Amino acid sequence: MIPRHQTILFVVLLVASITLGAVLWTTLDRAHKRLLASEESAPTQAPQVAPSEQATLMVANDADNSVAPRVFSLPLPQNPEARARAVLGKLLDLYCAPGSGHPVPDGASSVSQVFLLPVTAVSASSTAGAGRAATGSSRAAGGNSAGGDELAVVNLAGAFVSGHPSGLETETLTILSICATLHANFPNVTEVRFLVDGQQRATLAGHADLTRTYLTSETVPTEGAHS
Amino acid sequence: MRGRKRIPRLFFSALSLERMRRTGNLTSAIAALLALSAPIVFAQAPPAERFVVVLDAAHGGADSGASINGQSEKAYTLALGVRLRSLLMARGIDVVTTRESDTTVDPAQRAAIADHANAQACLTLHASESGSGAHVFVSSLAPAQQAAMLPWKTAQAAWTQRSVALAGVINSALTHAGMTVTLGRIALPAIDSMTCPAVAIEVAPGQSSDGAGTGSLDDPDYQARVADALAAALVEWRSEERGGRQP
Ligand SMILES: [Zn+2]
C-alpha cells in the first residue's frame, strides 16, 4: 500500500510538470510568431554594407531651364548597372522631395533597371541625334580611356511616366538630367536610350521623344536663365 | 537670259500702269512708267514687302497635349494662336496657320505648311503648368550652310542662326512685358524641318510678381499680355528684317 503523502506528492508533481509543459509550449509558440513577424518587416534588400561614395548628380531646375552638378555621398553597389540605378534613384528622389526645383513624383522606384552595353558600330552610325549642336565635350574627347563607349538603356517604370508632368521644358529637363548624370558618373556612357516597362514608347509625357538615341555630348546644361 | 527675265517684269508693270490709270493714281503711274525703263537689276530686288508669320498651334485632334487647369493644351494653343493672329493682322502682318480647328496635324504636315508659306517667322505654340513664364526654344541642330537641296529632317540647320536671333527678339519682348523667360535648345521634329526662322514657345503660369492678373494660364489678362508681347516681338522682328539684317 502506497502511503497517502506519497500519492499527494505524486499528483502535485504531475500537475506541476503538465503546467510547466503548457507554459513552455505557449512561450515557444509566441517566440516563433514574433520571429516570423520580424522577418516580414526586415528589408528585402541586403543591408547597405557598401561604403558611401561620392556621386555627381546633374540636377534640373525648372526656374531657369538649367541642369547643374551637385555632389552627394551615398552607398553605391559595386555592380555598374546596380550602381547606375542607385545614382539615378537618388536623382529622382531629389525631384520628388518637397521644394524640388523640378517636381516629378515617384522617386527612386521610377528607374526599374539600367543596362550598360557596348556601343556597336551599327548603333553609332544610326544614331538619331547625329548632327546636333554639340555644346559640350565631343564624343572623341569623352574621357573613356579604359574600355569602349557604352550605351545605357534606362528602363523607366510605367507609373513614373504616367505621372510625369507634361511640357517641353519639364520633359526635356528630365531626359537631359538623366543623360548628364549617367555621363558624369560613367564617362564611358556616350549614348542613352529609354524604355518604359521594357517597351519602346513615343514620348515621355507628350513632348520629349523617347524613340531616339540621346548623345551625352549634347546633354550639357543649356543656355540658362534670362529674366 | 536677260530678255527672258524682262518679259514678266514688263508685263506686270504694264498691268499695274493700266490699273493705276483707271484708279487715277498719278504717282503710282509714273513709278510704273519708270519701272518699265528700269535696268534689269531691279528685277532681283526683294519682292513685295510681304511679311508672313506662320502660327503653329501645337497638338490637336487625337493629341491633346498637357492638361491645363482641366482644359487641354490643344485648345489653349489654338485659342492663343487665334488671338495672336488677329493682333498680327491688325499690324499688317500676313498669317498662315497650321490648324484652324481641333484636327490632328503631324509634324511633317506642320513643317510642309510652314515651308510652303515662305515665312519670315514660324512660331510653334505650346503651354504647360510646369515652370513659370515663357520657355523659348530653338532647334538643337548645329548650324549649316543654306543649300539648294536640304535634308528634310534637318532643314532647320540652315536657319538656326536666324532662329536664335528671333528667339532673342521674343525674349526681349516677353521680358519687357514682365514675364520670366528661359531660353533653350530642343529636338522637335516640326521645327527641325522648317525652312524659316523658327521658335517654339511654351507658355507657363506667370509669377504673382509679374504685375496685373493672377498669372494663371486661364486668366484672360495673362493670355492677352502674352499675345500682346508676342505681337510686339514680331513687329520688332519685321523692322529688323526690313532693316537689312541677313543671315
Ligand atoms: Zn505641348
Side-chain angles (χ1 to χ4, degrees):
Chain A
M1 185 73 193
I2 303 165
R4 190 181 169 82
H5 72 273
Q6 278 187 348
T7 311
I8 292 168
L9 186 65
F10 175 76
V11 171
V12 167
L13 284 173
L14 188 69
V15 169
S17 64
I18 288 171
T19 312
L20 200 65
V23 168
L24 270 173
W25 176 259
T26 51
T27 311
L28 196 70
D29 192 47
R30 217 177 290 151
H32 184 67
K33 280 180 181 159
R34 206 163 48 228
L35 191 72
L36 284 180
S38 67
E39 266 178 10
E40 275 166 13
S41 67
T44 49
Q45 291 174 335
Q48 297 275 20
V49 287
S52 282
E53 291 179 58
Q54 288 205 328
T56 303
L57 304 186
M58 301 299 286
V59 184
N61 189 349
D62 291 352
D64 57 4
N65 188 35
S66 69
V67 177
R70 276 173 69 187
V71 178
F72 287 85
S73 187
L74 62 156
L76 291 174
Q78 283 307 304
N79 175 278
E81 292 177 334
R83 205 177 168 84
R85 185 179 172 231
V87 171
L88 293 184
K90 176 70 182 172
L91 177 73
L92 291 160
D93 270 343
L94 292 180
Y95 292 158
C96 77
S100 161
H102 177 64
V104 180
D106 274 19
S109 62
S110 315
V111 180
S112 304
Q113 287 106 17
V114 179
F115 305 102
L116 299 174
L117 312 163
V119 173
T120 61
V122 176
S123 86
S125 64
S126 68
T127 297
R132 293 271 158 202
T135 41
S137 58
S138 71
R139 283 169 58 83
N144 36 70
S145 48
D149 290 352
E150 284 183 317
L151 162 74
V153 179
V154 180
N155 187 22
L156 299 169
F160 167 74
V161 172
S162 50
H164 196 289
S166 179
L168 291 176
E169 186 186 75
T170 180
E171 292 177 48
T172 308
L173 280 177
T174 295
I175 299 291
L176 292 189
S177 73
I178 287 176
C179 294
T181 298
L182 282 171
H183 186 61
N185 298 281
F186 303 87
N188 283 15
V189 171
T190 54
E191 301 182 6
V192 183
R193 288 190 71 89
F194 291 89
L195 295 175
V196 179
D197 286 341
Q199 307 280 316
Q200 198 171 69
R201 199 180 147 115
T203 63
L204 180 54
H207 296 86
D209 187 357
L210 287 192
T211 63
R212 65 182 285 246
T213 302
Y214 286 86
L215 300 183
T216 53
S217 59
E218 69 188 56
T219 57
V220 292
T222 45
E223 275 99 311
H226 292 256
S227 62
Chain B
M1 281 303 284
R2 280 175 159 252
R4 267 164 65 196
K5 272 188 179 173
R6 199 177 189 108
I7 291 164
R9 178 88 194 165
L10 286 170
F11 177 68
F12 286 115
S13 296
L15 264 185
S16 53
L17 181 64
E18 170 60 19
R19 191 170 62 240
M20 281 150 193
R21 192 191 57 77
R22 274 190 275 121
T23 53
N25 189 334
L26 188 65
T27 339
S28 302
I30 292 165
L33 267 174
L34 284 171
L36 277 172
S37 60
I40 193 70
V41 68
F42 283 133
Q44 288 162 352
E49 295 278 292
R50 193 164 169 263
F51 190 84
V52 183
V53 169
V54 171
L55 296 180
D56 173 33
H59 311 289
D63 172 14
S64 299
S67 175
I68 294 163
N69 299 333
Q71 192 193 8
S72 61
E73 185 189 353
K74 62 177 181 178
Y76 193 92
T77 58
L78 187 61
L80 177 61
V82 167
R83 188 190 279 262
L84 184 54
R85 180 182 59 187
S86 53
L87 291 175
L88 293 177
M89 290 177 75
R91 288 159 176 78
I93 294 176
D94 287 351
V95 175
V96 172
T97 56
T98 54
R99 68 181 177 99
E100 287 286 315
S101 57
D102 184 17
T103 49
T104 305
V105 188
D106 68 39
Q109 286 173 292
R110 292 173 194 271
I113 293 168
D115 295 352
H116 189 70
N118 225 344
Q120 280 78 17
C122 299
L123 303 192
T124 292
L125 305 171
H126 285 261
S128 173
E129 287 276 281
S130 289
S132 64
H135 313 143
V136 177
F137 293 94
V138 172
S139 168
S140 56
L141 289 167
Q145 291 294 311
Q146 295 228 9
M149 295 291 284
L150 293 166
W152 168 254
K153 285 189 171 179
T154 58
Q156 173 64 201
W159 301 81
T160 45
Q161 281 177 327
R162 285 180 71 200
S163 299
V164 168
L166 173 60
V169 170
I170 289 170
N171 178 25
S172 303
L174 291 170
T175 305
H176 187 71
M179 293 177 70
T180 55
V181 182
T182 65
L183 293 178
R185 305 296 287 262
I186 199 166
L188 264 187
I191 63 170
D192 280 354
S193 296
M194 286 181 179
T195 54
C196 51
V199 169
I201 297 159
E202 180 171 78
V203 184
Q207 288 171 329
S208 51
S209 61
D210 280 0
T214 60
S216 163
L217 280 173
D218 49 14
D219 171 20
D221 286 345
Y222 185 60
Q223 291 173 7
R225 193 146 56 96
V226 172
D228 284 341
L230 290 176
L234 289 163
V235 168
E236 169 62 22
W237 179 245
R238 175 174 61 178
S239 61
E240 284 193 13
E241 290 281 283
R242 285 184 177 169
R245 275 177 42 141
Q246 292 300 318

mmCIF file with all atom_site columns, all heavy atoms in Angstrom, chain A residues 166-168 206-207, chain B residues 58-59 65-66 73 77 125-127 202, ligand 1:
data_model
loop_
_atom_site.group_PDB
_atom_site.id
_atom_site.type_symbol
_atom_site.label_atom_id
_atom_site.label_alt_id
_atom_site.label_comp_id
_atom_site.label_asym_id
_atom_site.label_entity_id
_atom_site.label_seq_id
_atom_site.pdbx_PDB_ins_code
_atom_site.Cartn_x
_atom_site.Cartn_y
_atom_site.Cartn_z
_atom_site.occupancy
_atom_site.B_iso_or_equiv
_atom_site.pdbx_formal_charge
_atom_site.auth_seq_id
_atom_site.auth_comp_id
_atom_site.auth_asym_id
_atom_site.auth_atom_id
_atom_site.pdbx_PDB_model_num
ATOM   1   N  N   . SER A 1 166 ? 3.517  67.210 -68.048 1.00 0.00 ? 166 SER A N   1
ATOM   2   C  CA  . SER A 1 166 ? 3.639  67.332 -69.495 1.00 0.00 ? 166 SER A CA  1
ATOM   3   C  C   . SER A 1 166 ? 4.103  68.737 -69.874 1.00 0.00 ? 166 SER A C   1
ATOM   4   O  O   . SER A 1 166 ? 3.581  69.727 -69.383 1.00 0.00 ? 166 SER A O   1
ATOM   5   C  CB  . SER A 1 166 ? 2.274  67.043 -70.135 1.00 0.00 ? 166 SER A CB  1
ATOM   6   O  OG  . SER A 1 166 ? 2.350  67.170 -71.534 1.00 0.00 ? 166 SER A OG  1
ATOM   7   N  N   . GLY A 1 167 ? 5.097  68.817 -70.743 1.00 0.00 ? 167 GLY A N   1
ATOM   8   C  CA  . GLY A 1 167 ? 5.567  70.122 -71.210 1.00 0.00 ? 167 GLY A CA  1
ATOM   9   C  C   . GLY A 1 167 ? 6.928  69.999 -71.868 1.00 0.00 ? 167 GLY A C   1
ATOM   10  O  O   . GLY A 1 167 ? 7.681  69.068 -71.577 1.00 0.00 ? 167 GLY A O   1
ATOM   11  N  N   . LEU A 1 168 ? 7.230  70.939 -72.772 1.00 0.00 ? 168 LEU A N   1
ATOM   12  C  CA  . LEU A 1 168 ? 8.520  70.897 -73.478 1.00 0.00 ? 168 LEU A CA  1
ATOM   13  C  C   . LEU A 1 168 ? 9.672  70.977 -72.482 1.00 0.00 ? 168 LEU A C   1
ATOM   14  O  O   . LEU A 1 168 ? 10.598 70.177 -72.515 1.00 0.00 ? 168 LEU A O   1
ATOM   15  C  CB  . LEU A 1 168 ? 8.633  72.083 -74.451 1.00 0.00 ? 168 LEU A CB  1
ATOM   16  C  CG  . LEU A 1 168 ? 7.738  72.116 -75.680 1.00 0.00 ? 168 LEU A CG  1
ATOM   17  C  CD1 . LEU A 1 168 ? 7.956  73.415 -76.433 1.00 0.00 ? 168 LEU A CD1 1
ATOM   18  C  CD2 . LEU A 1 168 ? 8.020  70.935 -76.589 1.00 0.00 ? 168 LEU A CD2 1
ATOM   19  N  N   . GLY A 1 206 ? 4.168  63.322 -73.774 1.00 0.00 ? 206 GLY A N   1
ATOM   20  C  CA  . GLY A 1 206 ? 3.562  64.067 -74.876 1.00 0.00 ? 206 GLY A CA  1
ATOM   21  C  C   . GLY A 1 206 ? 4.522  64.970 -75.633 1.00 0.00 ? 206 GLY A C   1
ATOM   22  O  O   . GLY A 1 206 ? 4.158  65.524 -76.668 1.00 0.00 ? 206 GLY A O   1
ATOM   23  N  N   . HIS A 1 207 ? 5.745  65.158 -75.124 1.00 0.00 ? 207 HIS A N   1
ATOM   24  C  CA  . HIS A 1 207 ? 6.678  66.074 -75.781 1.00 0.00 ? 207 HIS A CA  1
ATOM   25  C  C   . HIS A 1 207 ? 8.050  65.463 -76.064 1.00 0.00 ? 207 HIS A C   1
ATOM   26  O  O   . HIS A 1 207 ? 8.447  65.388 -77.217 1.00 0.00 ? 207 HIS A O   1
ATOM   27  C  CB  . HIS A 1 207 ? 6.823  67.364 -74.957 1.00 0.00 ? 207 HIS A CB  1
ATOM   28  C  CG  . HIS A 1 207 ? 5.556  68.148 -74.855 1.00 0.00 ? 207 HIS A CG  1
ATOM   29  N  ND1 . HIS A 1 207 ? 4.611  67.906 -73.889 1.00 0.00 ? 207 HIS A ND1 1
ATOM   30  C  CD2 . HIS A 1 207 ? 5.059  69.160 -75.618 1.00 0.00 ? 207 HIS A CD2 1
ATOM   31  C  CE1 . HIS A 1 207 ? 3.585  68.741 -74.070 1.00 0.00 ? 207 HIS A CE1 1
ATOM   32  N  NE2 . HIS A 1 207 ? 3.832  69.516 -75.103 1.00 0.00 ? 207 HIS A NE2 1
ATOM   33  N  N   . ALA B 2 58  ? 0.355  73.923 -81.369 1.00 0.00 ? 58  ALA B N   1
ATOM   34  C  CA  . ALA B 2 58  ? 0.794  72.537 -81.169 1.00 0.00 ? 58  ALA B CA  1
ATOM   35  C  C   . ALA B 2 58  ? -0.373 71.635 -80.758 1.00 0.00 ? 58  ALA B C   1
ATOM   36  O  O   . ALA B 2 58  ? -1.394 72.109 -80.270 1.00 0.00 ? 58  ALA B O   1
ATOM   37  C  CB  . ALA B 2 58  ? 1.892  72.479 -80.125 1.00 0.00 ? 58  ALA B CB  1
ATOM   38  N  N   . HIS B 2 59  ? -0.177 70.334 -80.967 1.00 0.00 ? 59  HIS B N   1
ATOM   39  C  CA  . HIS B 2 59  ? -1.157 69.291 -80.634 1.00 0.00 ? 59  HIS B CA  1
ATOM   40  C  C   . HIS B 2 59  ? -2.431 69.450 -81.475 1.00 0.00 ? 59  HIS B C   1
ATOM   41  O  O   . HIS B 2 59  ? -2.416 70.138 -82.477 1.00 0.00 ? 59  HIS B O   1
ATOM   42  C  CB  . HIS B 2 59  ? -1.459 69.286 -79.129 1.00 0.00 ? 59  HIS B CB  1
ATOM   43  C  CG  . HIS B 2 59  ? -0.203 69.285 -78.289 1.00 0.00 ? 59  HIS B CG  1
ATOM   44  N  ND1 . HIS B 2 59  ? 0.620  68.200 -78.198 1.00 0.00 ? 59  HIS B ND1 1
ATOM   45  C  CD2 . HIS B 2 59  ? 0.384  70.266 -77.552 1.00 0.00 ? 59  HIS B CD2 1
ATOM   46  C  CE1 . HIS B 2 59  ? 1.660  68.490 -77.416 1.00 0.00 ? 59  HIS B CE1 1
ATOM   47  N  NE2 . HIS B 2 59  ? 1.550  69.748 -77.008 1.00 0.00 ? 59  HIS B NE2 1
ATOM   48  N  N   . GLY B 2 65  ? -2.184 66.934 -75.793 1.00 0.00 ? 65  GLY B N   1
ATOM   49  C  CA  . GLY B 2 65  ? -1.107 67.655 -75.110 1.00 0.00 ? 65  GLY B CA  1
ATOM   50  C  C   . GLY B 2 65  ? -1.295 67.591 -73.604 1.00 0.00 ? 65  GLY B C   1
ATOM   51  O  O   . GLY B 2 65  ? -1.918 66.664 -73.092 1.00 0.00 ? 65  GLY B O   1
ATOM   52  N  N   . ALA B 2 66  ? -0.775 68.570 -72.918 1.00 0.00 ? 66  ALA B N   1
ATOM   53  C  CA  . ALA B 2 66  ? -0.836 68.591 -71.452 1.00 0.00 ? 66  ALA B CA  1
ATOM   54  C  C   . ALA B 2 66  ? -2.241 68.955 -70.978 1.00 0.00 ? 66  ALA B C   1
ATOM   55  O  O   . ALA B 2 66  ? -3.076 69.403 -71.767 1.00 0.00 ? 66  ALA B O   1
ATOM   56  C  CB  . ALA B 2 66  ? 0.179  69.592 -70.916 1.00 0.00 ? 66  ALA B CB  1
ATOM   57  N  N   . GLU B 2 73  ? -4.287 71.208 -73.563 1.00 0.00 ? 73  GLU B N   1
ATOM   58  C  CA  . GLU B 2 73  ? -3.297 72.118 -74.145 1.00 0.00 ? 73  GLU B CA  1
ATOM   59  C  C   . GLU B 2 73  ? -3.648 72.457 -75.597 1.00 0.00 ? 73  GLU B C   1
ATOM   60  O  O   . GLU B 2 73  ? -3.432 73.580 -76.048 1.00 0.00 ? 73  GLU B O   1
ATOM   61  C  CB  . GLU B 2 73  ? -1.904 71.469 -74.067 1.00 0.00 ? 73  GLU B CB  1
ATOM   62  C  CG  . GLU B 2 73  ? -0.777 72.374 -74.543 1.00 0.00 ? 73  GLU B CG  1
ATOM   63  C  CD  . GLU B 2 73  ? 0.557  71.650 -74.655 1.00 0.00 ? 73  GLU B CD  1
ATOM   64  O  OE1 . GLU B 2 73  ? 0.646  70.484 -74.240 1.00 0.00 ? 73  GLU B OE1 1
ATOM   65  O  OE2 . GLU B 2 73  ? 1.513  72.257 -75.176 1.00 0.00 ? 73  GLU B OE2 1
ATOM   66  N  N   . THR B 2 77  ? -3.585 76.241 -77.019 1.00 0.00 ? 77  THR B N   1
ATOM   67  C  CA  . THR B 2 77  ? -2.681 76.755 -78.051 1.00 0.00 ? 77  THR B CA  1
ATOM   68  C  C   . THR B 2 77  ? -3.466 77.297 -79.247 1.00 0.00 ? 77  THR B C   1
ATOM   69  O  O   . THR B 2 77  ? -3.072 78.289 -79.853 1.00 0.00 ? 77  THR B O   1
ATOM   70  C  CB  . THR B 2 77  ? -1.712 75.661 -78.530 1.00 0.00 ? 77  THR B CB  1
ATOM   71  O  OG1 . THR B 2 77  ? -2.457 74.546 -79.029 1.00 0.00 ? 77  THR B OG1 1
ATOM   72  C  CG2 . THR B 2 77  ? -0.810 75.191 -77.404 1.00 0.00 ? 77  THR B CG2 1
ATOM   73  N  N   . LEU B 2 125 ? 3.427  77.000 -80.868 1.00 0.00 ? 125 LEU B N   1
ATOM   74  C  CA  . LEU B 2 125 ? 2.902  77.410 -79.561 1.00 0.00 ? 125 LEU B CA  1
ATOM   75  C  C   . LEU B 2 125 ? 2.537  76.209 -78.694 1.00 0.00 ? 125 LEU B C   1
ATOM   76  O  O   . LEU B 2 125 ? 1.778  75.336 -79.116 1.00 0.00 ? 125 LEU B O   1
ATOM   77  C  CB  . LEU B 2 125 ? 1.652  78.297 -79.757 1.00 0.00 ? 125 LEU B CB  1
ATOM   78  C  CG  . LEU B 2 125 ? 1.847  79.532 -80.651 1.00 0.00 ? 125 LEU B CG  1
ATOM   79  C  CD1 . LEU B 2 125 ? 0.504  80.190 -80.934 1.00 0.00 ? 125 LEU B CD1 1
ATOM   80  C  CD2 . LEU B 2 125 ? 2.803  80.529 -79.997 1.00 0.00 ? 125 LEU B CD2 1
ATOM   81  N  N   . HIS B 2 126 ? 3.092  76.162 -77.498 1.00 0.00 ? 126 HIS B N   1
ATOM   82  C  CA  . HIS B 2 126 ? 2.772  75.143 -76.501 1.00 0.00 ? 126 HIS B CA  1
ATOM   83  C  C   . HIS B 2 126 ? 2.359  75.847 -75.210 1.00 0.00 ? 126 HIS B C   1
ATOM   84  O  O   . HIS B 2 126 ? 2.550  77.054 -75.051 1.00 0.00 ? 126 HIS B O   1
ATOM   85  C  CB  . HIS B 2 126 ? 3.989  74.260 -76.193 1.00 0.00 ? 126 HIS B CB  1
ATOM   86  C  CG  . HIS B 2 126 ? 4.319  73.271 -77.267 1.00 0.00 ? 126 HIS B CG  1
ATOM   87  N  ND1 . HIS B 2 126 ? 3.929  71.955 -77.204 1.00 0.00 ? 126 HIS B ND1 1
ATOM   88  C  CD2 . HIS B 2 126 ? 5.004  73.405 -78.430 1.00 0.00 ? 126 HIS B CD2 1
ATOM   89  C  CE1 . HIS B 2 126 ? 4.374  71.313 -78.282 1.00 0.00 ? 126 HIS B CE1 1
ATOM   90  N  NE2 . HIS B 2 126 ? 5.026  72.173 -79.039 1.00 0.00 ? 126 HIS B NE2 1
ATOM   91  N  N   . ALA B 2 127 ? 1.810  75.070 -74.253 1.00 0.00 ? 127 ALA B N   1
ATOM   92  C  CA  . ALA B 2 127 ? 1.505  75.605 -72.929 1.00 0.00 ? 127 ALA B CA  1
ATOM   93  C  C   . ALA B 2 127 ? 1.709  74.489 -71.915 1.00 0.00 ? 127 ALA B C   1
ATOM   94  O  O   . ALA B 2 127 ? 1.513  73.311 -72.231 1.00 0.00 ? 127 ALA B O   1
ATOM   95  C  CB  . ALA B 2 127 ? 0.069  76.117 -72.868 1.00 0.00 ? 127 ALA B CB  1
ATOM   96  N  N   . GLU B 2 202 ? 6.674  77.906 -75.137 1.00 0.00 ? 202 GLU B N   1
ATOM   97  C  CA  . GLU B 2 202 ? 5.793  77.223 -74.191 1.00 0.00 ? 202 GLU B CA  1
ATOM   98  C  C   . GLU B 2 202 ? 5.396  78.233 -73.121 1.00 0.00 ? 202 GLU B C   1
ATOM   99  O  O   . GLU B 2 202 ? 6.245  78.757 -72.399 1.00 0.00 ? 202 GLU B O   1
ATOM   100 C  CB  . GLU B 2 202 ? 6.530  76.042 -73.553 1.00 0.00 ? 202 GLU B CB  1
ATOM   101 C  CG  . GLU B 2 202 ? 5.684  75.274 -72.553 1.00 0.00 ? 202 GLU B CG  1
ATOM   102 C  CD  . GLU B 2 202 ? 6.387  73.985 -72.118 1.00 0.00 ? 202 GLU B CD  1
ATOM   103 O  OE1 . GLU B 2 202 ? 7.311  74.057 -71.289 1.00 0.00 ? 202 GLU B OE1 1
ATOM   104 O  OE2 . GLU B 2 202 ? 6.014  72.914 -72.619 1.00 0.00 ? 202 GLU B OE2 1
HETATM 105 ZN ZN  . ZN  C 3 .   ? 2.752  70.916 -75.860 1.00 0.00 ? 1   ZN  C ZN  1
#
